[in-house]
Amino acid sequence: MPGLRGRLARVLYDLRLLRGRLEQLRDRLERRVENLRNLGTDERQLRTYINALNQVNYAVLVLSILEVKVENILALGTVVQDLIVVREVLRELSRRVRNIPEVSAVLEDLGDSVGEIIAETRIKVDSAQLPVYREAARRIIEEAEQRLR
């Protein structure tokens, strides 16, 4: 069974892989939206595609931020707080992109993988500190939202 660094490297790989797939999906959605606009498609159908495109853009941005966090964990060894924050961001992102089931499921799996690493390293998650970690996760989510505006 791979060690902690190996498993974190796998999480980083999976984050990058998912982001790459989402970037491809974003490109397809952008082309589809442009085609629908050119065809004069009804506003409701166009809005559905635009909403999906916005969710994908959001997920790509959050995953990019998480990649940097996991890279820092690997490089600097800052495991405890950062790993818990990564797990919380993955959980929140999974909830927010629930309309894209394939993505949501992969995010849940990644969150579970990070949770297993936390459990196996015997990182004590103080319930009093959990709101602090969730607040840090919320700030990452908000940062992504701000960048999209």
Side-chain angles (χ1 to χ4, degrees):
M1 184 167 193
L4 175 63
R5 289 187 64 76
R7 294 188 57 206
L8 284 172
R10 178 60 196 209
V11 167
L12 179 60
Y13 172 81
D14 289 344
L15 286 170
R16 287 179 176 158
L17 187 65
L18 179 58
R19 184 179 48 81
R21 288 179 180 167
L22 287 173
E23 287 171 343
Q24 291 174 351
L25 177 60
R26 177 181 60 198
D27 293 343
R28 288 194 309 268
L29 284 170
E30 286 172 346
R31 286 191 301 273
R32 182 72 175 148
V33 165
E34 190 60 35
N35 288 339
L36 289 173
R37 281 188 174 135
N38 291 337
L39 293 172
T41 304
D42 73 285
E43 190 64 29
R44 201 181 83 208
Q45 185 179 13
L46 185 59
R47 176 69 26 214
T48 300
Y49 281 96
I50 290 172
N51 287 340
L53 180 58
N54 289 339
Q55 282 190 331
V56 168
N57 281 329
Y58 174 71
V60 165
L61 192 51
V62 172
L63 289 173
S64 298
I65 294 168
L66 287 181
E67 283 177 37
V68 171
K69 276 244 179 253
V70 174
E71 286 170 349
N72 287 340
I73 292 168
L74 282 167
L76 304 174
T78 57
V79 175
V80 180
Q81 297 86 1
D82 287 339
L83 206 49
I84 295 169
V85 171
V86 167
R87 180 191 63 191
E88 293 302 316
V89 171
L90 288 168
R91 286 178 176 174
E92 181 61 26
L93 182 58
S94 176
R95 283 191 288 274
R96 291 183 182 217
V97 296
R98 202 172 301 136
N99 293 340
I100 310 172
E102 305 85 17
V103 175
S104 183
V106 172
L107 289 169
E108 286 176 16
D109 288 346
L110 280 169
D112 290 345
S113 293
V114 172
E116 289 171 7
I117 293 169
I118 291 169
E120 288 176 18
T121 56
R122 297 189 179 21
I123 296 172
K124 299 263 191 244
V125 181
D126 181 6
S127 60
Q129 286 294 100
L130 200 52
V132 174
Y133 301 134
R134 287 189 177 138
E135 177 62 22
R138 187 186 61 73
R139 284 193 307 269
I140 290 171
I141 296 289
E142 286 178 356
E143 177 185 340
E145 289 171 348
Q146 290 295 322
R147 287 187 188 180
L148 286 176
R149 292 183 186 151

